[in-house]
Amino acid sequence: MNIEGTELIAEQYIDALIARINAALNLSDLQQAVEDGVQPITGQLEVIAWEIQMLAPLLALLNPPTIDPTKIVTWITDFIAAQIAPQVTAYHKHVAQLAALTAKVAQIENAVERARERINNAAGQIPGL
């Protein structure tokens, strides 16, 4: 279940799941509907809770500091810790993921090429009838 755009929650998905549950004729159908349907919702709940936890520190930054220099420095420090540091951490994580994934794609390409050569060589060794 992917919640994107202006839709707050995937109501159609949930309504379809409820209809599937209501249409279940036996325990097996009911269990399958629950297993298939609830996991994406649970996953989405976990993502939402994590995002709220990550964004909550930003609420304190909505109140700009007064002219007190100490409060201004504290506000700037809090801004860096709450906004910039997590983004830099995410940046470094994505760079590492890109490097690792690129290396794995190269391994896949090499494996495909070796398999293609192996299969072509084997095909040439099959005697004609």
Side-chain angles (χ1 to χ4, degrees):
M1 179 174 71
N2 192 4
I3 298 176
E4 293 180 347
T6 59
E7 185 178 29
L8 186 57
I9 62 169
E11 287 187 49
Q12 291 179 337
Y13 176 86
I14 295 170
D15 291 343
L17 175 60
I18 292 169
R20 185 175 170 197
I21 290 169
N22 289 336
L25 299 176
N26 55 50
L27 287 176
S28 178
D29 290 346
L30 177 60
Q31 181 178 357
Q32 193 64 47
V34 170
E35 287 175 2
D36 292 347
V38 172
Q39 191 280 329
I41 296 169
T42 303
Q44 190 65 42
L45 286 170
E46 291 171 0
V47 168
I48 292 169
W50 178 82
E51 288 177 349
I52 288 171
Q53 181 182 1
M54 295 305 296
L55 295 171
L58 297 177
L59 296 175
L61 300 176
L62 293 175
N63 300 317
T66 61
I67 58 173
D68 180 358
T70 305
K71 289 182 180 181
I72 293 171
V73 170
T74 301
W75 188 90
I76 292 170
T77 303
D78 290 346
F79 177 78
I80 291 170
Q83 182 64 27
I84 297 172
Q87 291 182 37
V88 170
T89 300
Y91 170 83
H92 289 297
K93 177 183 175 185
H94 291 316
V95 167
Q97 287 175 325
L98 179 61
L101 187 55
T102 301
K104 287 299 184 184
V105 167
Q107 289 178 359
I108 292 169
E109 290 171 343
N110 288 336
V112 168
E113 187 59 34
R114 285 191 310 272
R116 184 180 294 132
E117 290 173 4
R118 185 185 74 246
I119 291 168
N120 285 337
N121 288 341
Q125 296 174 3
I126 298 172
L129 296 178

mmCIF file of all heavy atoms in Angstrom, residues 41-57:
data_model
loop_
_atom_site.group_PDB
_atom_site.id
_atom_site.type_symbol
_atom_site.label_atom_id
_atom_site.label_comp_id
_atom_site.label_asym_id
_atom_site.label_seq_id
_atom_site.Cartn_x
_atom_site.Cartn_y
_atom_site.Cartn_z
ATOM 1 N N ILE A 41 -0.843 -2.405 5.726
ATOM 2 C CA ILE A 41 -1.359 -1.363 6.620
ATOM 3 C C ILE A 41 -0.452 -1.223 7.832
ATOM 4 O O ILE A 41 -0.106 -0.115 8.241
ATOM 5 C CB ILE A 41 -2.814 -1.666 7.026
ATOM 6 C CG1 ILE A 41 -3.722 -1.624 5.795
ATOM 7 C CG2 ILE A 41 -3.293 -0.683 8.092
ATOM 8 C CD1 ILE A 41 -5.112 -2.159 6.036
ATOM 9 N N THR A 42 -0.043 -2.346 8.403
ATOM 10 C CA THR A 42 0.870 -2.325 9.544
ATOM 11 C C THR A 42 2.190 -1.669 9.157
ATOM 12 O O THR A 42 2.737 -0.851 9.902
ATOM 13 C CB THR A 42 1.120 -3.761 10.052
ATOM 14 O OG1 THR A 42 -0.134 -4.354 10.382
ATOM 15 C CG2 THR A 42 2.016 -3.773 11.263
ATOM 16 N N GLY A 43 2.690 -2.002 7.983
ATOM 17 C CA GLY A 43 3.919 -1.391 7.498
ATOM 18 C C GLY A 43 3.771 0.109 7.341
ATOM 19 O O GLY A 43 4.667 0.881 7.706
ATOM 20 N N GLN A 44 2.633 0.543 6.816
ATOM 21 C CA GLN A 44 2.396 1.972 6.645
ATOM 22 C C GLN A 44 2.291 2.671 7.993
ATOM 23 O O GLN A 44 2.805 3.779 8.159
ATOM 24 C CB GLN A 44 1.114 2.202 5.828
ATOM 25 C CG GLN A 44 0.931 3.626 5.405
ATOM 26 C CD GLN A 44 2.010 4.082 4.435
ATOM 27 O OE1 GLN A 44 2.378 3.354 3.531
ATOM 28 N NE2 GLN A 44 2.514 5.275 4.619
ATOM 29 N N LEU A 45 1.662 2.030 8.968
ATOM 30 C CA LEU A 45 1.582 2.609 10.314
ATOM 31 C C LEU A 45 2.973 2.798 10.904
ATOM 32 O O LEU A 45 3.257 3.823 11.533
ATOM 33 C CB LEU A 45 0.741 1.722 11.233
ATOM 34 C CG LEU A 45 -0.767 1.756 11.002
ATOM 35 C CD1 LEU A 45 -1.449 0.650 11.799
ATOM 36 C CD2 LEU A 45 -1.341 3.109 11.361
ATOM 37 N N GLU A 46 3.842 1.813 10.701
ATOM 38 C CA GLU A 46 5.211 1.920 11.212
ATOM 39 C C GLU A 46 5.961 3.068 10.545
ATOM 40 O O GLU A 46 6.681 3.819 11.208
ATOM 41 C CB GLU A 46 5.952 0.598 11.002
ATOM 42 C CG GLU A 46 5.437 -0.519 11.879
ATOM 43 C CD GLU A 46 6.011 -1.881 11.518
ATOM 44 O OE1 GLU A 46 6.834 -1.973 10.573
ATOM 45 O OE2 GLU A 46 5.635 -2.862 12.188
ATOM 46 N N VAL A 47 5.776 3.231 9.236
ATOM 47 C CA VAL A 47 6.441 4.314 8.512
ATOM 48 C C VAL A 47 5.940 5.670 8.999
ATOM 49 O O VAL A 47 6.723 6.589 9.238
ATOM 50 C CB VAL A 47 6.234 4.167 6.986
ATOM 51 C CG1 VAL A 47 6.649 5.418 6.242
ATOM 52 C CG2 VAL A 47 6.987 2.963 6.459
ATOM 53 N N ILE A 48 4.639 5.789 9.165
ATOM 54 C CA ILE A 48 4.058 7.050 9.638
ATOM 55 C C ILE A 48 4.571 7.378 11.032
ATOM 56 O O ILE A 48 4.964 8.520 11.305
ATOM 57 C CB ILE A 48 2.517 6.986 9.606
ATOM 58 C CG1 ILE A 48 2.020 6.942 8.159
ATOM 59 C CG2 ILE A 48 1.908 8.170 10.353
ATOM 60 C CD1 ILE A 48 0.545 6.606 8.028
ATOM 61 N N ALA A 49 4.588 6.396 11.915
ATOM 62 C CA ALA A 49 5.078 6.634 13.285
ATOM 63 C C ALA A 49 6.544 7.055 13.263
ATOM 64 O O ALA A 49 6.946 7.978 13.996
ATOM 65 C CB ALA A 49 4.890 5.384 14.136
ATOM 66 N N TRP A 50 7.349 6.419 12.430
ATOM 67 C CA TRP A 50 8.765 6.778 12.327
ATOM 68 C C TRP A 50 8.921 8.203 11.809
ATOM 69 O O TRP A 50 9.734 8.971 12.324
ATOM 70 C CB TRP A 50 9.495 5.788 11.420
ATOM 71 C CG TRP A 50 10.939 6.114 11.235
ATOM 72 C CD1 TRP A 50 11.964 5.810 12.082
ATOM 73 C CD2 TRP A 50 11.517 6.846 10.149
ATOM 74 N NE1 TRP A 50 13.150 6.297 11.574
ATOM 75 C CE2 TRP A 50 12.907 6.935 10.395
ATOM 76 C CE3 TRP A 50 11.006 7.410 8.995
ATOM 77 C CZ2 TRP A 50 13.780 7.578 9.526
ATOM 78 C CZ3 TRP A 50 11.882 8.052 8.126
ATOM 79 C CH2 TRP A 50 13.240 8.130 8.405
ATOM 80 N N GLU A 51 8.142 8.562 10.776
ATOM 81 C CA GLU A 51 8.239 9.909 10.220
ATOM 82 C C GLU A 51 7.817 10.962 11.238
ATOM 83 O O GLU A 51 8.440 12.024 11.327
ATOM 84 C CB GLU A 51 7.398 10.015 8.945
ATOM 85 C CG GLU A 51 8.021 9.266 7.778
ATOM 86 C CD GLU A 51 7.167 9.290 6.529
ATOM 87 O OE1 GLU A 51 5.990 9.708 6.580
ATOM 88 O OE2 GLU A 51 7.688 8.886 5.476
ATOM 89 N N ILE A 52 6.773 10.682 11.993
ATOM 90 C CA ILE A 52 6.352 11.622 13.038
ATOM 91 C C ILE A 52 7.466 11.792 14.060
ATOM 92 O O ILE A 52 7.774 12.911 14.482
ATOM 93 C CB ILE A 52 5.038 11.147 13.696
ATOM 94 C CG1 ILE A 52 3.870 11.328 12.717
ATOM 95 C CG2 ILE A 52 4.777 11.890 15.003
ATOM 96 C CD1 ILE A 52 2.576 10.711 13.178
ATOM 97 N N GLN A 53 8.078 10.698 14.462
ATOM 98 C CA GLN A 53 9.176 10.755 15.426
ATOM 99 C C GLN A 53 10.339 11.578 14.877
ATOM 100 O O GLN A 53 10.954 12.355 15.605
ATOM 101 C CB GLN A 53 9.639 9.341 15.774
ATOM 102 C CG GLN A 53 10.762 9.295 16.781
ATOM 103 C CD GLN A 53 11.228 7.867 17.058
ATOM 104 O OE1 GLN A 53 10.736 6.916 16.490
ATOM 105 N NE2 GLN A 53 12.198 7.740 17.936
ATOM 106 N N MET A 54 10.637 11.427 13.596
ATOM 107 C CA MET A 54 11.746 12.161 12.999
ATOM 108 C C MET A 54 11.423 13.650 12.829
ATOM 109 O O MET A 54 12.309 14.495 12.933
ATOM 110 C CB MET A 54 12.110 11.561 11.630
ATOM 111 C CG MET A 54 12.643 10.139 11.711
ATOM 112 S SD MET A 54 14.065 9.944 12.800
ATOM 113 C CE MET A 54 15.261 10.927 11.963
ATOM 114 N N LEU A 55 10.169 13.968 12.583
ATOM 115 C CA LEU A 55 9.787 15.353 12.328
ATOM 116 C C LEU A 55 9.421 16.130 13.588
ATOM 117 O O LEU A 55 9.433 17.362 13.576
ATOM 118 C CB LEU A 55 8.616 15.391 11.341
ATOM 119 C CG LEU A 55 8.937 14.869 9.938
ATOM 120 C CD1 LEU A 55 7.666 14.738 9.117
ATOM 121 C CD2 LEU A 55 9.941 15.758 9.245
ATOM 122 N N ALA A 56 9.104 15.444 14.663
ATOM 123 C CA ALA A 56 8.661 16.104 15.896
ATOM 124 C C ALA A 56 9.640 17.166 16.409
ATOM 125 O O ALA A 56 9.195 18.229 16.856
ATOM 126 C CB ALA A 56 8.371 15.067 16.976
ATOM 127 N N PRO A 57 10.954 16.939 16.356
ATOM 128 C CA PRO A 57 11.867 17.990 16.844
ATOM 129 C C PRO A 57 11.751 19.311 16.084
ATOM 130 O O PRO A 57 12.108 20.357 16.606
ATOM 131 C CB PRO A 57 13.260 17.372 16.658
ATOM 132 C CG PRO A 57 13.023 15.899 16.679
ATOM 133 C CD PRO A 57 11.680 15.709 16.035
#
